[in-house]
Amino acid sequence: MFKKPRVYLDYAAATPLSPAAFSAMKPWLLDSYANASAIHAEGLAARQAVEAAREQVADVVKVRPEYVTFVSGGTEANNLGLFGTVEYLKNQGRTYESMEVITTAIEHPSITEAMKELTSKGVKVLTVNVNSEGKIDRNHLQSLLAPQTVLVAFAYANSEIGTIQPVRALRRVMDEAEKSFSTKIFLLLDAAQAPLWLQCQANALQADLIAFDAGKCNGPKGVGFLVTSRRVKLAPILFGGGQESGLRPGTENVAGIVGASVAFAEAQANYKERVEKVSAVRDAGMKVLQDIVEGVVINGTVGDDRLANNINISLPGLDTEFATVVLDKHGFAVSTKSACAGAGGGESVVVKTISGDPVSATSTLRISLSPETKLVDIKRLAIVLKNYQEQMKSLTSY
Amino acid sequence: MFKKPRVYLDYAAATPLSPAAFSAMKPWLLDSYANASAIHAEGLAARQAVEAAREQVADVVKVRPEYVTFVSGGTEANNLGLFGTVEYLKNQGRTYESMEVITTAIEHPSITEAMKELTSKGVKVLTVNVNSEGKIDRNHLQSLLAPQTVLVAFAYANSEIGTIQPVRALRRVMDEAEKSFSTKIFLLLDAAQAPLWLQCQANALQADLIAFDAGKCNGPKGVGFLVTSRRVKLAPILFGGGQESGLRPGTENVAGIVGASVAFAEAQANYKERVEKVSAVRDAGMKVLQDIVEGVVINGTVGDDRLANNINISLPGLDTEFATVVLDKHGFAVSTKSACAGAGGGESVVVKTISGDPVSATSTLRISLSPETKLVDIKRLAIVLKNYQEQMKSLTSY
């Protein structure tokens, strides 16, 4: 029987491992297995591989290698950036109660849940408004910044709706506050979705802490890294050996680190061409969806301020949780929201926040394109959706 | 020119990836890359792989699968066991100051450094004595156990000197204390060195928390797991998505988890034969070292209470840091102590503790055998050491 090929449209959740990354990992998986902290020849070779990977990442983001810390993924990178900064200040004598942190209501759980933990410790966490496109309200940010603000954290590009924040402009607001208060206000940028689609140079972003996840940019899962600025200091959040300059103990995952650096460099090397190609498919795809499917609401913004591979729609009144199952049966892998936000149903906090509309928030579909996605894939998906919609109409009052 | 093959004698620091583990990982590295939390077919397949891995580990240690939590390595497993237990109790209303934790002075840095962090939070950390072989003093443990004791943490087998603790006997002392105080006292067992050489069934060990590292038992680096008992409850130490039953957020490292479970099952499947074979080489090797090299002090115990693959000697008066370099040049990869304890010289805290002798502690050599190590390898190593010793003698007053 003829079996339709699968169409993977969940690139925001996971990406295939780059062949070059796998080739680079292979010797460290199969042949050279020594501990990178060991002092014999095998250990030194592993150490050199880790440091070469660090240099490769540093070279891409344009920082000195010592400002790159390898961790176990984007979640840990965000957690280290957030808790590491606060705990360092705590160790310096500041109380939790004297610190304020600002974030948005549309962040990834690795920021949102970490913020809840900070709150429980006594840190005051403030939520800056975002507009209906998911963009941070600069004036509101300005009004929230205070002498006690130590950190502002948000995603470079939102993982659900793809909205790209104007990082430099937001940083300027923070710079002004720093000047007027004579304080340091660190910027933590969750850049998990960025490497394949956005400029990631630290000097361009002017962020103090930039969190990356290798598994989201054709690297291996279980590896991430945090890029820090010269002026930020961190306390560790895990305790043990002195690996990663004392910031991240544990035997280095040499193969993973090597694969992460290769994938990240590849992702950044030609991201502009990738963006050009994929954003054209995205824009045409959004139009096709609106043309074919009834009542499509586009969540987020349009144009250059949207991740090149992100389509996020609501189909008010439709059970999109079940629609993903129907699409799956027809060969399409999509999601309703971020995989980390829980596959088990419920509304999208992101769409609820930007729309204020619970109906939109419970009928979301995130269609995240790969560089290979063709417009015809989205057209076929739209037809399946349309048929599902009509089927539901004939069965219910929808 | 003829190049001698390398002899790797640092198996306690890192092990080669098992071919079966690599085969099991390969499809998850190369073909199936979906996020295990995604709800489409690709995601469900990844989810099934993770859960099958969890069942495989659970089956080996004889617990229900929900008591296996995958993390990024042994360090994180120890940290989660320790902080997770204390933070859970804290969240239940107990103060740090009301809790006591007991450990030894010869633990791995992922325990020792975590204990320092607990101390800084206000938890009282007590150190139970070990004897000259590195075994925990039961009477002293009994005297330290108190109504406020919440946890006792030590290594099943010491990573430097290989001493195996009589876990059941120590647990019995704890059981008695629990009964007399009507409290719960959790046992955290750092079992990083155990899978290849020791019985790891949870019911046999009667530990509440057992920390494993895949990279130490022919699995991939960057993966570990914590096995918990029915009665212990943990708070997470990283915050984000609901993965690993809310205990360990972050996109699952599917390939790593699959590889870890295969390697762990292999390690445990035939550990008794492995122990029989390797301990014979170890015992003969220790004798050869004592016969050939002058002034060899065996650190730790002898016989069945020593890890089958561990030889740890001191050569008082010799700079063993440099001796490892000399051995390295002759093709032998050994270490002075644990890689995580820092390659950069300094005394072995473990040997200092058991011997009370700073001279012994600064002249250690850890020779950890692989299942393939031959006695002739150790004989050749002993001759290199002897020659180095004589060279040093002729140069200095040693």
Side-chain angles (χ1 to χ4, degrees), chain B residues 80-101:
Chain B
L80 177 58
L82 187 56
F83 295 120
T85 302
V86 168
E87 292 299 326
Y88 179 84
L89 294 171
K90 176 87 180 346
N91 293 346
Q92 296 295 104
R94 279 190 74 159
T95 61
Y96 289 130
E97 290 72 18
S98 75
M99 292 189 254
E100 288 187 10
V101 166

Side-chain angles (χ1 to χ4, degrees), chain A residues 189-336:
Chain A
L189 208 58
D190 171 4
Q193 292 293 332
L196 287 163
W197 318 106
L198 296 170
Q199 156 76 274
C200 287
Q201 288 181 20
N203 51 356
L205 292 169
Q206 294 282 311
D208 298 283
L209 304 132
I210 316 178
F212 292 99
D213 184 289
K216 303 284 187 279
C217 60
N218 304 123
K221 291 178 181 62
V223 192
F225 46 93
L226 183 68
V227 173
T228 49
S229 72
R230 202 176 292 241
R231 65 182 198 148
V232 74
K233 286 202 171 64
L234 298 176
I237 59 173
L238 290 171
F239 300 85
Q243 291 92 346
E244 297 296 300
S245 306
L247 258 186
R248 212 301 178 171
T251 303
E252 293 91 339
N253 175 359
V254 183
I257 287 169
V258 165
S261 70
V262 169
F264 180 69
E266 273 191 322
Q268 280 282 285
N270 54 353
Y271 79 91
K272 281 179 188 165
E273 292 86 331
R274 194 181 297 119
V275 164
E276 208 170 315
K277 178 183 163 190
V278 178
S279 59
V281 182
R282 173 201 65 189
D283 291 341
M286 291 207 277
K287 206 179 163 303
V288 157
L289 282 160
Q290 287 178 302
D291 288 348
I292 295 179
V293 188
E294 209 177 287
V296 165
V297 177
I298 302 282
N299 297 314
T301 184
V302 286
D304 290 348
D305 293 348
R306 184 178 197 111
L307 272 182
N309 77 324
N310 178 286
I311 297 177
N312 189 309
I313 58 171
S314 284
L315 293 166
L318 203 70
D319 177 351
T320 47
E321 195 74 28
F322 192 69
T324 62
V325 176
V326 172
L327 285 168
D328 191 37
K329 283 193 182 147
H330 283 82
F332 298 93
V334 302
S335 70
T336 56

Side-chain angles (χ1 to χ4, degrees), chain A residues 6 10 13-14 33 35 37 39-42 72 79 113 117 216 221 239-241 243 248 251 324 328 340 343, chain B residues 6 8 10 13-14 33 35 37 39-42 72 79 113 216 221 239-241 243 248 251 324 328 340 343:
Chain A
R6 299 279 300 176
D10 200 15
Y33 55 86
N35 191 308
S37 299
I39 53 175
H40 40 66
E42 288 85 350
S72 71
N79 274 234
E113 294 299 315
E117 178 67 12
K216 303 284 187 279
K221 291 178 181 62
F239 300 85
Q243 291 92 346
R248 212 301 178 171
T251 303
T324 62
D328 191 37
C340 279
Chain B
R6 298 280 300 177
Y8 181 78
D10 200 13
Y33 55 85
N35 191 311
S37 299
I39 53 175
H40 41 65
E42 289 84 350
S72 71
N79 275 233
E113 294 300 314
K216 302 283 187 280
K221 291 178 181 62
F239 301 86
Q243 291 92 347
R248 211 304 178 167
T251 303
T324 63
D328 190 38
C340 279

Side-chain angles (χ1 to χ4, degrees), chain A residues 43-77:
Chain A
L44 292 176
R47 163 65 43 216
Q48 279 162 11
V50 168
E51 297 315 318
R54 196 186 315 280
E55 278 164 30
Q56 185 171 30
V57 169
D59 191 54
V60 173
V61 296
K62 307 283 180 232
V63 298
R64 279 165 51 180
E66 60 261 43
Y67 297 126
V68 176
T69 303
F70 289 107
V71 298
S72 71
T75 289
E76 191 186 339

Side-chain angles (χ1 to χ4, degrees), chain B residues 272-282 371-372 374:
Chain B
K272 280 179 189 164
E273 292 86 330
R274 194 180 298 117
V275 164
E276 206 169 319
K277 179 184 163 191
V278 177
S279 59
V281 181
R282 173 201 65 189
E372 281 73 46
K374 307 252 172 305

Side-chain angles (χ1 to χ4, degrees), chain B residues 157-186:
Chain B
N158 187 277
S159 65
E160 288 193 24
I161 56 171
T163 301
I164 300 162
Q165 298 297 345
V167 180
R168 283 297 285 272
L170 294 163
R171 176 73 251 185
R172 274 196 296 275
V173 175
M174 293 170 61
D175 287 343
E176 281 163 30
E178 281 192 337
K179 257 185 223 155
S180 81
F181 305 138
S182 295
T183 57
K184 281 182 193 159
I185 305 174
F186 300 116

Side-chain angles (χ1 to χ4, degrees), chain B residues 101 124 190:
Chain B
V101 166
K124 193 167 173 190
D190 171 4

